[in-house]
């Protein structure tokens, strides 16, 4: 959608089918040169083929080649000329032929038809634009607005649809009670498909109201294990934290950590995460909680320091589970036991731009080798040009480095708009859900959302980041990749210590 929309915006009409593989070809050529600018012909040819073997095109196909250098997989669409109710004639997708390495060959009818009803459609969103999690919400807001801008070009110029999208974005103020108020307000305005960017504590507060009123929530940040539920219209684009904990423990054990001192925020996210850690690690754990609105971390840090001293520094690590309040916690850490061991954290603070702007927090993060993990399809280590394009646009929009928060918000907006495009502007929740909750309605930028029975992402791809200091300032840099899928179970790749 993105490539076709960008080309349509430049040309004023949809590109020919031949233009799309040319787009991919140029990217693969450029990336091969980037990897080895001075390669001779035979090396270049070998490198190009190797890139194809771990690449993906803008059709969401793995570009693995056969012995003749042709694609092994194939996707063919069957179109028929159709006359609409207004007399216009258009091409309509009727079915597909698919050949893949994992699924074999099969023919299928198209599950949805593009709407040719005109209409203005409002996409609702509830995001923490202010409060402790404001970085999450402000990045998500920019991503959603960018997706809507690009989608309007795509649907009108590339597909010729007479639908127009806009957004109604509400601020949860990083507060669960306010999040519920905002979901209720959107519902009362007739909006029943909402992008929900709040953390698990906020989602927990709105889950029952959404269930009772048939409201679809596309969750981009919630990962609490106990919120996995098949009996609702909640579609979470990230896996629940049982996957993240498995990845984190795998790295910590690889690095010889046998005793954990765990500091967790006392809410559903922190409680679930801490419990999953205790069930997964083979070593011992000391756990300490802090209030979800805590601002003075002296007491919990003192407890953690005593636990580290008692356990000894060898093989001991600190795990901190929270979001942006972790920055204040790092600023409060005193030189001593806590700065003598490695620290780990999850997706609540991974790639935080706010942390990079807090000089004393950066200093402690570097001193403790703070390593943070979050879901990121980059861990699949597949070269997908459209992911690079999307990240570039998102990074410009937020004036920083876009991460999974922005990518998932961007994808959520596209998934929501695609559901309307494949039904009609006044589609009820049940019709929209039938489109969203199937493989064809769940493709993102460089990511296929393979959902489990609870409609949570089931693919397990994680990237570990830590802060390093450069001459132009601190940055987050990847130090390890983890994936746990059928083809690559429990695979950890450390790229930097």
């Amino acid at each position: 959608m993105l490539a076709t929309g960008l080309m349509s915006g430049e040309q004023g009409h949809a590109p020919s089918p031949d233009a799309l593989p040319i787009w991919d070809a140029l990217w693969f050529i450029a990336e091969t040169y980037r990897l080895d600018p001075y390669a001779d012909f035979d090396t270049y040819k070998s490198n190009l083929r190797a890139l194809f073997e771990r690449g993906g095109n803008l059709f969401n196909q793995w570009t693995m080649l056969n012995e003749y250098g042709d694609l092994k997989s194939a996707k063919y669409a069957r179109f028929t000329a159709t006359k609409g109710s207004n007399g216009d004639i258009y091409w309509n997708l009727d079915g597909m032929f698919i050949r893949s390495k994992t699924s074999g060959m099969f023919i299928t009818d198209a599950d949805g038809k593009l709407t040719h009803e005109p209409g203005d459609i409002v996409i609702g969103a509830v995001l923490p634009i202010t409060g402790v999690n404001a970085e999450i919400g402000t990045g998500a807001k920019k991503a959603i607005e960018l997706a809507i801008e690009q989608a309007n070009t795509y649907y009108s110029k590339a597909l010729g649809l007479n639908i127009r999208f806009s957004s109604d974005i509400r601020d949860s103020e990083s507060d669960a009670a306010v999040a519920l108020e905002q979901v209720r307000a959107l519902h009362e305005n007739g909006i029943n498909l909402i992008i929900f960017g709040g953390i698990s504590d906020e989602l927990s507060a709105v889950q029952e109201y959404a269930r009772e009123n048939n409201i679809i929530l596309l969750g981009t940040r919630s990962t609490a294990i106990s919120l996995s539920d098949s009996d609702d219209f909640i579609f979470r684009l990230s896996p629940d934290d049982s996957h993240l904990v498995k990845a984190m423990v795998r790295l910590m054990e690889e690095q010889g950590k046998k005793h954990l001192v765990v500091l967790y925020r006392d809410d559903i996210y922190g409680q679930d995460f801490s419990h999953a850690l205790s069930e997964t690690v083979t070593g011992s754990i000391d756990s300490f909680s802090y209030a979800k609105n805590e601002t003075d971390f002296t007491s919990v840090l003192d407890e953690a320091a005593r636990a580290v001293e008692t356990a000894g520094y060898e093989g001991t690590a600190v795990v901190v589970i929270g979001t942006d309040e972790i920055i204040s916690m790092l600023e409060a850490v005193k030189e001593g036991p806590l700065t003598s061991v490695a620290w780990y954290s999850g997706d609540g603070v991974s790639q935080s731009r706010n942390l990079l702007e807090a000089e004393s927090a950066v200093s402690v993060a570097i001193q403790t080798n703070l390593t943070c993990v979050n879901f990121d399809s980059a861990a699949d280590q597949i070269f997908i040009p459209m992911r690079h394009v999307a990240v570039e646009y998102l990074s410009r929009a937020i004036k920083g480095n876009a991460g999974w928060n922005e990518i998932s918000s961007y994808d959520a907006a596209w998934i929501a708009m695609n559901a309307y495009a494949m039904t009609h502007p006044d589609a009820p929740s049940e019709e929209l859900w039938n489109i969203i909750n199937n493989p064809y309605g769940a493709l993102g930028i460089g990511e296929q959302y393979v959902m489990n029975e609870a409609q949570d992402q089931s693919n397990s791809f994680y990237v570990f980041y830590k802060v390093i200091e450069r001459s132009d300032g601190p940055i987050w840099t990847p130090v390890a990749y983890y994936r746990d899928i059928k083809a690559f179970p429990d695979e950890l790749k450390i790229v930097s210590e």
Side-chain angles (χ1 to χ4, degrees):
M1 294 177 179
L2 177 55
T4 306
L6 292 174
M7 293 182 203
S8 300
E10 289 291 326
Q11 300 172 0
H13 58 80
S16 74
D18 293 333
L20 302 180
I22 289 173
W23 169 289
D24 281 325
L26 289 169
W27 269 94
F28 276 96
I29 290 169
E31 177 66 4
T32 307
Y33 273 118
R34 186 191 71 82
L35 294 171
D36 191 348
Y38 306 107
D40 58 33
F41 176 75
D42 288 338
T43 303
Y44 177 82
K45 186 171 69 171
S46 175
N47 290 347
L48 179 61
R49 182 169 188 120
L51 186 62
F52 271 109
E53 293 293 312
R54 57 179 183 85
N57 61 23
L58 55 81
F59 297 108
N60 261 288
Q61 288 174 284
W62 193 2
T63 53
M64 181 177 287
L65 306 178
N66 63 19
E67 64 271 27
Y68 306 110
D70 299 330
L71 276 180
K72 286 183 178 180
S73 60
K75 293 181 181 179
Y76 291 94
R78 184 176 73 249
F79 293 92
T80 57
T82 305
K83 181 179 287 189
S85 57
N86 59 358
D88 291 344
I89 297 177
Y90 53 87
W91 288 107
N92 193 75
L93 175 64
D94 280 344
M96 290 165 280
F97 167 85
I98 297 175
R99 182 183 72 224
S100 73
K101 180 181 178 183
T102 56
S103 304
M105 291 190 296
F106 60 94
I107 297 174
T108 178
D109 292 331
D111 284 355
K113 308 291 185 183
L114 290 173
T115 182
H116 285 271
E117 296 181 24
D120 294 323
I121 302 163
V122 179
I123 302 297
V126 176
L127 313 172
I129 299 172
T130 59
V132 68
N133 298 318
E135 182 179 331
I136 293 172
T138 52
K141 181 176 183 290
K142 293 284 189 182
I144 292 167
E145 291 170 342
L146 177 64
I148 289 175
E149 175 189 337
Q150 294 175 338
N152 280 328
T153 300
Y154 170 75
Y155 287 118
S156 63
K157 293 187 177 180
L159 299 184
L161 304 186
N162 192 14
I163 54 176
R164 187 79 184 171
F165 292 98
S166 61
S167 61
D168 186 346
I169 299 176
R170 306 295 182 96
D171 182 10
S172 72
E173 302 174 16
S174 304
D175 184 279
V178 177
L180 177 57
E181 291 175 10
Q182 299 291 29
V183 169
R184 183 181 287 114
L186 289 173
H187 173 62
E188 290 173 352
N189 284 348
I191 298 174
N192 292 318
L193 199 170
I194 299 171
I195 300 168
F196 195 84
I199 61 174
S200 295
D201 191 46
E202 294 180 40
L203 183 62
S204 177
V206 307
Q207 185 179 39
E208 193 57 36
Y209 180 82
R211 189 199 317 272
E212 291 172 354
N213 292 279
N214 288 339
I215 299 171
I216 298 173
L217 298 178
L218 302 182
T220 59
R221 289 293 302 186
S222 167
T223 54
I225 299 168
S226 60
L227 293 180
S228 295
D229 191 343
S230 60
D231 187 28
D232 56 30
F233 283 168
I234 299 176
F235 187 98
R236 294 198 295 179
L237 279 69
S238 299
D240 71 61
D241 280 327
S242 64
H243 300 263
L244 189 150
V245 167
K246 183 178 180 181
M248 178 185 282
V249 170
R250 178 80 162 79
L251 178 68
M252 289 191 295
E253 291 184 346
E254 181 75 16
Q255 294 177 337
K257 309 307 178 187
K258 299 177 181 178
H259 181 80
L260 305 182
V261 176
V262 179
L263 310 179
Y264 68 93
R265 189 175 59 213
D266 195 11
D267 64 2
I268 190 171
Y269 166 59
Q271 292 162 6
D272 283 5
F273 200 117
S274 177
H275 180 69
L277 271 174
S278 66
E279 290 193 330
T280 307
V281 298
T282 56
S284 56
I285 292 181
D286 289 316
S287 295
F288 307 97
S289 65
Y290 58 89
K292 62 182 180 181
N293 297 318
E294 186 64 78
T295 58
D296 182 357
F297 298 98
T298 304
S299 177
V300 72
L301 288 173
D302 286 345
E303 287 183 297
R306 287 192 292 270
V308 169
E309 278 191 304
T310 301
Y313 301 148
E314 184 69 27
T316 297
V318 171
V319 178
V320 57
I321 306 161
T323 55
D324 255 17
E325 78 277 1
I326 292 174
I327 299 171
S328 298
M329 181 185 292
L330 290 172
E331 291 176 322
V333 171
K334 300 174 182 177
E335 190 77 23
L338 294 180
T339 57
S340 302
V341 295
W343 282 47
Y344 297 82
S345 190
D347 54 3
V349 73
S350 181
Q351 294 179 282
S352 167
R353 295 182 294 277
N354 287 342
L355 191 152
L356 297 182
E357 294 173 0
E359 186 176 344
S360 56
V362 166
S363 177
V364 175
I366 293 173
Q367 187 177 3
T368 60
N369 201 41
L370 175 66
T371 303
C372 302
V373 57
N374 63 279
F375 179 80
D376 191 333
S377 57
D380 196 20
Q381 300 171 59
I382 300 296
F383 174 69
I384 300 176
M386 286 317 309
R387 182 163 58 206
H388 294 282
V389 175
V391 169
E392 173 65 21
Y393 272 90
L394 290 167
S395 296
R396 289 183 203 167
I398 66 172
K399 296 181 174 58
N401 293 322
W404 180 245
N405 175 60
E406 289 74 31
I407 293 171
S408 60
S409 302
Y410 180 87
D411 281 349
W414 272 103
I415 289 171
M417 291 183 288
N418 182 60
Y420 280 107
M422 295 182 72
T423 51
H424 54 89
D426 298 316
S429 297
E430 291 78 5
E431 286 187 41
L432 296 169
W433 184 249
N434 287 337
I435 298 298
I436 290 172
N437 191 32
N438 74 74
Y440 303 112
L443 295 176
I445 292 297
E447 179 58 61
Q448 181 170 358
Y449 295 99
V450 181
M451 314 308 285
N452 61 22
E453 65 278 0
Q455 293 87 45
D456 294 340
Q457 167 69 293
S458 63
N459 279 338
S460 191
F461 299 120
Y462 290 93
V463 179
F464 294 85
Y465 294 91
K466 72 176 183 179
V467 179
I468 62 170
E469 190 71 64
R470 297 196 316 187
S471 58
D472 55 347
I475 64 165
W476 289 98
T477 187
V479 294
Y481 299 98
Y482 177 86
R483 55 184 174 178
D484 187 22
I485 55 178
K486 186 176 181 180
F488 303 99
D490 197 31
E491 180 189 73
L492 176 68
K493 181 180 180 181
I494 297 176
V495 294
S496 175
E497 291 292 349

